Amino acid sequence: MKSTKLWIADSDVSYAEAFREYVNLKKSHLFQVRMCTDQEQFDRIFSTEEIEVLLLSAEWYEVCKDLIRRECVIFLSEGSLPKELGMYPAIYKYQSVENILREILYYYSEAALEEELFTGVHRDNSVIGVYSPVDGISKSKFAFALGQVLSENRNVLYLNLEECSGLLEIFGGSHWNLSDLIYFLRQTNKTPFLYRLNSMVQKVDQLDYVPPCESYTDFRQITVEEWQQLLYLIRTQSTYDFIILDFGSITGHEPELLRQCDGIYMPIQQDIISQGKISQWERYIQILDGMDILERLQKLELPALDIRLSSEEDLRTLPQQELGNYIRGLLYEE
């Protein structure tokens, strides 16, 4: 997929250069940034160059207002904007580039673009499911650490499909989460999905994740067809090498969604209650004619790990702990 041409027009040369270099060096990003820092050159650039997104300093509005046509124009605000700019989207200039990019992606996906980005072709990527009817805490530790280890040298997206993940409490809230992404899919399939997805992505070091659903009610209303559509679009449109699905236990869609996985890890325990739960689950899957699911299943008896996660930093450092070494060994064997 070609990069979208984004121009930043601002007389602050150091700011524009820093923004351009950061985005253009960003691996697999959707934008290719060029810059203009001279208002006298703006007329020529606007008439000769392709501009798909324009990030424009508010002080330049009077100079270029007659040139603006169909481009997605977003103003850089230093606090407030003149009333005549109220019809345009605006982004606060002095915040992290990651936050600015998320907002640009959101506004760009809102624009009524005609280009259809739906390719319908699966890229060379894999969906890895992590599911267990036994111990949800160990499962989530493993799933999150798996994503972190894989993201050390690959592009990875972690999606938590638990009805109550706790991640929003750990990493803080966000403007958008999985519920909003599903809602967006319900509204239209014309607006570019990939830009909306990227506007919602957050990071834990190198690992990308979309904040999980906050409302239990919203979560329960997501249909299996909507989950399937979401996975299909991520696989066909994004540049992720791996999508990690951290399953819950009562979505009601486990068999259908597990079939979307290329491989499934199941952390297990050897006590009699855990073994009873696993046997009951396997019998349930067999009744549903799910032998194909069981064939993709790899049971893991995790080593006895003394991992006390008492802070966000503890979660971030899972790859440097014994669990990270165990996962590296597991991936090496495969």
Side-chain angles (χ1 to χ4, degrees):
M1 178 180 170
K2 73 180 184 69
S3 297
T4 298
K5 292 180 175 61
L6 185 154
W7 280 79
I8 178 171
D10 194 308
S11 56
D12 187 338
V13 178
S14 60
Y15 180 91
E17 285 184 342
F19 180 85
R20 181 187 63 179
E21 291 178 8
Y22 182 93
V23 178
N24 287 348
L25 291 174
K26 188 175 175 64
K27 186 177 181 181
S28 301
H29 206 272
L30 298 172
F31 294 122
Q32 183 67 30
V33 177
R34 302 185 69 179
M35 69 180 200
C36 174
T37 58
D38 187 339
Q39 294 186 28
E40 294 181 359
Q41 297 176 355
F42 192 81
D43 192 353
R44 177 183 59 80
I45 290 173
F46 213 89
S47 60
T48 60
E49 300 287 345
E50 182 182 9
I51 301 177
E52 296 176 271
V53 183
L54 176 61
L55 193 60
L56 183 64
S57 173
E59 65 183 15
W60 285 31
Y61 176 69
E62 290 299 326
V63 176
C64 66
K65 63 181 180 181
D66 294 331
L67 299 174
I68 297 174
R69 295 291 186 269
R70 295 179 301 173
E71 287 74 20
C72 178
V73 179
I74 303 170
F75 281 96
L76 280 172
S77 166
E78 298 188 19
S80 61
L81 290 174
K83 289 183 179 180
E84 60 266 28
L85 301 187
M87 69 183 73
Y88 295 100
I91 295 174
Y92 181 61
K93 182 176 181 178
Y94 301 111
Q95 59 178 317
S96 72
V97 179
E98 289 293 339
N99 285 341
I100 291 174
L101 286 173
R102 273 192 285 270
E103 293 191 48
I104 293 172
L105 288 162
Y106 174 80
Y107 288 129
Y108 188 56
S109 69
E110 282 287 284
L113 304 175
E114 296 298 326
E115 179 183 7
E116 179 57 70
L117 298 178
F118 193 75
T119 65
V121 178
H122 276 261
R123 302 183 187 278
D124 184 17
N125 51 32
S126 298
V127 175
I128 300 176
V130 183
Y131 176 82
S132 176
V134 177
D135 186 347
I137 295 177
S138 294
K139 170 194 64 69
S140 286
K141 287 180 183 177
F142 174 83
F144 200 79
L146 174 65
Q148 289 173 290
V149 170
L150 286 171
S151 68
E152 291 172 350
N153 49 37
R154 305 297 289 273
N155 293 330
V156 183
L157 178 66
Y158 169 86
L159 297 178
N160 188 292
L161 306 188
E162 295 178 301
E163 56 280 353
C164 184
S165 70
L167 289 181
L168 292 175
E169 304 299 320
I170 297 172
F171 294 117
S174 172
H175 289 300
W176 305 291
N177 57 46
L178 267 177
S179 296
D180 300 300
L181 190 55
I182 294 293
Y183 178 78
F184 166 74
L185 294 180
R186 290 170 181 164
Q187 303 309 302
T188 177
N189 60 7
K190 293 289 186 183
T191 308
F193 164 80
L194 191 53
Y195 291 89
R196 181 55 61 93
L197 171 66
N198 279 267
S199 75
M200 297 183 180
V201 164
Q202 303 286 320
K203 277 187 173 293
V204 174
D205 298 323
Q206 298 303 310
L207 177 64
D208 285 3
Y209 75 98
V210 176
C213 297
E214 185 172 12
S215 166
Y216 178 81
T217 301
D218 290 346
F219 180 83
R220 293 290 290 172
Q221 290 176 348
I222 300 173
T223 67
V224 64
E225 291 79 15
E226 289 171 334
W227 286 122
Q228 290 171 333
Q229 181 189 18
L230 176 63
L231 289 174
Y232 181 81
L233 290 172
I234 293 172
R235 297 198 73 170
T236 57
Q237 295 190 19
S238 77
T239 58
Y240 289 112
D241 301 305
F242 293 97
I243 300 99
I244 307 294
L245 301 183
D246 187 354
F247 283 92
S249 58
I250 57 173
T251 64
H253 307 319
E254 288 84 3
E256 295 90 343
L257 294 182
L258 287 170
R259 281 195 169 93
Q260 304 295 311
C261 299
D262 300 289
I264 305 164
Y265 290 123
M266 176 182 284
I268 64 170
Q269 298 177 15
Q270 293 300 332
D271 64 277
I272 189 171
I273 294 178
S274 298
Q275 289 299 304
K277 289 184 177 182
I278 292 169
S279 296
Q280 180 180 345
W281 180 82
E282 289 179 333
R283 188 164 59 252
Y284 165 67
I285 294 298
Q286 290 174 5
I287 292 172
L288 296 179
D289 196 21
M291 289 304 298
D292 58 319
I293 296 174
L294 297 179
E295 290 171 357
R296 301 174 208 176
L297 187 66
Q298 183 175 355
K299 296 179 182 178
L300 302 176
E301 188 173 355
L302 301 179
L305 303 174
D306 185 20
I307 303 176
R308 293 184 176 87
L309 301 181
S310 57
S311 67
E312 177 183 333
E313 184 61 25
D314 291 339
L315 196 56
R316 289 178 179 271
T317 58
L318 280 175
Q320 286 73 55
Q321 301 181 34
E322 187 178 353
L323 181 58
N325 295 330
Y326 171 81
I327 291 172
R328 290 184 184 90
L330 179 68
L331 296 175
Y332 179 78
E333 292 174 2
E334 298 178 356

